[in-house]
Amino acid sequence: MHAPIGPEQGQPVRALPAVGWMGPLLAMLTMQATSAFLSRLIPTLAPILMAELGWSETEIGYLTALNTVGSILFLLSGAPLMRRTGSIRALQIGLSLGVVGVLVLTVPVAGAAVLGAMLIGLGYGPSTPAGSDVLQRYAPARHRNLIFSIKQAGVPIGGVLAGVSLPVLADWAGWRMALAFATIVALLTVAAVQSLRERVDAERNRDLRLRPRLFLSLENLRRPLAFLRAAPDLKRLAFVGACLAIGQGSWFAFLVTYLVTKLGLTLPQAGLIFAVMQATGIVGRVALGWVSDRIGLGIVTLRLVTIASAASSLVLAATGPNWPMPALLTLAAIAGVTVSSWNGVQIAEIARLSPRAHVSETTAGTTILIFVGYVVGPSAFAALVTSTGRF
């Protein structure tokens, strides 16, 4: 891995030529989509899991938050793994942990859902720092916002796959079949990117010995956030992402449950609406990245998206059982752009402002704050539902 092998080890950071970037981009897109697919498993299957395992609406929010806590744990402590194994291998290890988490969800004992959610989140953790490291090295500078946004489009792609396939499989063959399908998708992705591993991870630090104390050392744990404290612009952008994540995380965690339990839709209907939101998020992320490259000011794009996200959430609050399916689909389509398409532009801005030798660390620090928003959003929403009895 290039980024961590730099000044701190007495070696110059070598910039790669802007050629041969399509393979790494497709690999990062595929890994991002599959990681997101696993992370959407609990929200999209929530109504049937509530019935089968006795979960409540409140527990769905807390489990979604625990999923994000797992990701934060990796972002805080996982840098040595990326330095030693390289970005591709770190992503493969992450997906493998996610598979273990999915399998744990099938165990009908107390605490299995908590452990499963944490493991799936831990497996999602490498997606942003490892993906940013690879793309910052391979992406042509003039297309950086677009390429980062294409990679981040993997998140709604995974959401589309989850929304379309998992509720239908669960309705047809049972929720365990849906979990088996998710496991197969993840394992196939791990195998598919193996051919790029030696090329992309060529400069990993083979001499680094991975020990528990290395992961848990104070210096390692404080490293991602230390870079943000030293750069006010990065810190501000990180807090912007955290605020946007509160809204996005609440939509993702509760939309299917809200549609089924409060608006009376079937699980496949709710899954379709969720999938539409994810699908327009694919187009939205790419479009916002393209616009940001054209105007040269990603921060302007983020300001506009912030206003639109708030407006979309206010409209969702006004929905009721009398709303027709086309109206709900239209709102979901708009929200896919306004609520969930900001990530690529925000991460590209972070990468642009980061020291080249420390892109993975600064994006990890930024993502920690964003993921705090993903924890706070669903948790606070769950608490409000509990205290008021209303969505």
Side-chain angles (χ1 to χ4, degrees):
M1 179 169 143
H2 293 63
I5 301 176
E8 69 248 20
Q9 297 180 14
Q11 299 177 18
V13 178
R14 294 187 298 165
L16 293 178
V19 296
W21 53 268
M22 184 60 72
L25 172 59
L26 290 176
M28 295 304 99
L29 175 63
T30 303
M31 298 293 278
Q32 183 77 67
T34 307
S35 297
F37 171 63
L38 293 185
S39 72
R40 301 292 181 262
L41 188 148
I42 291 176
T44 52
L45 291 179
I48 195 169
L49 293 176
M50 287 166 58
E52 291 286 335
L53 302 177
W55 297 355
S56 68
E57 295 168 348
T58 300
E59 286 174 306
I60 296 300
Y62 292 138
L63 286 173
T64 303
L66 281 172
N67 182 285
T68 305
V69 169
S71 298
I72 292 174
L73 290 176
F74 180 89
L75 292 167
L76 281 171
S77 62
L81 178 68
M82 291 192 292
R83 291 200 296 270
R84 174 61 183 86
T85 67
S87 293
I88 291 286
R89 181 66 83 226
L91 289 164
Q92 290 175 312
I93 292 171
L95 275 183
S96 299
L97 287 173
V99 167
V100 175
V102 172
L103 295 176
V104 169
L105 290 177
T106 66
V107 180
V109 298
V114 171
L115 178 60
M118 289 279 287
L119 285 172
I120 293 171
L122 192 65
Y124 187 86
S127 59
T128 297
S132 298
D133 166 63
V134 172
L135 295 184
Q136 182 69 7
R137 289 188 275 130
Y138 284 91
R142 66 185 183 279
H143 299 309
R144 183 176 290 114
N145 281 291
L146 177 59
I147 289 175
F148 270 78
S149 294
I150 290 174
K151 178 259 184 185
Q152 285 302 121
V155 176
I157 289 174
V160 170
L161 180 59
V164 169
S165 64
L166 295 179
V168 173
L169 273 172
D171 193 51
W172 170 61
W175 61 276
R176 287 184 174 84
M177 179 61 71
L179 298 187
F181 173 70
T183 298
I184 293 170
V185 170
L187 293 176
L188 288 175
T189 302
V190 169
V193 300
Q194 178 59 31
S195 61
L196 283 175
R197 199 271 165 140
E198 286 305 318
R199 171 191 167 193
V200 175
D201 294 346
E203 294 190 13
R204 62 190 182 275
N205 187 349
R206 293 174 172 85
D207 297 327
L208 182 65
R209 298 185 65 182
L210 296 178
R211 299 174 178 174
R213 65 185 183 187
L214 182 62
F215 291 99
L216 299 176
S217 69
L218 182 61
E219 179 183 357
N220 183 53
L221 293 174
R222 64 179 290 274
R223 186 179 179 87
L225 295 176
F227 284 100
L228 295 184
R229 287 198 297 269
D233 287 342
L234 289 175
K235 185 164 59 178
R236 280 194 292 270
L237 275 173
F239 278 108
V240 167
C243 292
L244 288 167
I246 288 174
Q248 186 186 51
S250 298
W251 273 76
F252 285 0
F254 286 101
L255 181 61
V256 172
T257 300
Y258 170 69
L259 293 172
V260 172
T261 62
K262 301 303 179 183
L263 301 193
L265 273 62
T266 66
L267 182 60
Q269 285 176 323
L272 174 62
I273 291 174
F274 185 88
V276 167
M277 181 178 68
Q278 301 295 309
T280 57
I282 300 170
V283 179
R285 292 185 186 217
V286 175
L288 292 182
W290 183 85
V291 169
S292 297
D293 280 335
R294 299 286 76 75
I295 65 177
L297 293 171
I299 194 67
V300 173
T301 305
L302 290 174
R303 287 170 179 161
L304 295 173
V305 166
T306 300
I307 297 170
S309 176
S312 299
S313 295
L314 288 174
V315 174
L316 180 63
T319 58
N322 59 330
W323 274 53
M325 189 70 174
L328 294 172
L329 288 169
T330 301
L331 175 58
I334 294 171
V337 178
T338 59
V339 175
S340 66
S341 293
W342 54 271
N343 308 69
V345 175
Q346 197 259 1
I347 292 173
E349 284 293 296
I350 293 292
R352 181 180 65 83
L353 295 171
S354 301
R356 185 176 180 85
H358 301 293
V359 172
S360 61
E361 288 95 337
T362 53
T363 53
T366 302
T367 307
I368 288 170
L369 291 185
I370 292 173
F371 281 11
V372 167
Y374 288 137
V375 172
V376 170
S379 297
F381 202 103
L384 286 170
V385 171
T386 299
S387 63
T388 66
R390 300 178 60 186
F391 278 76

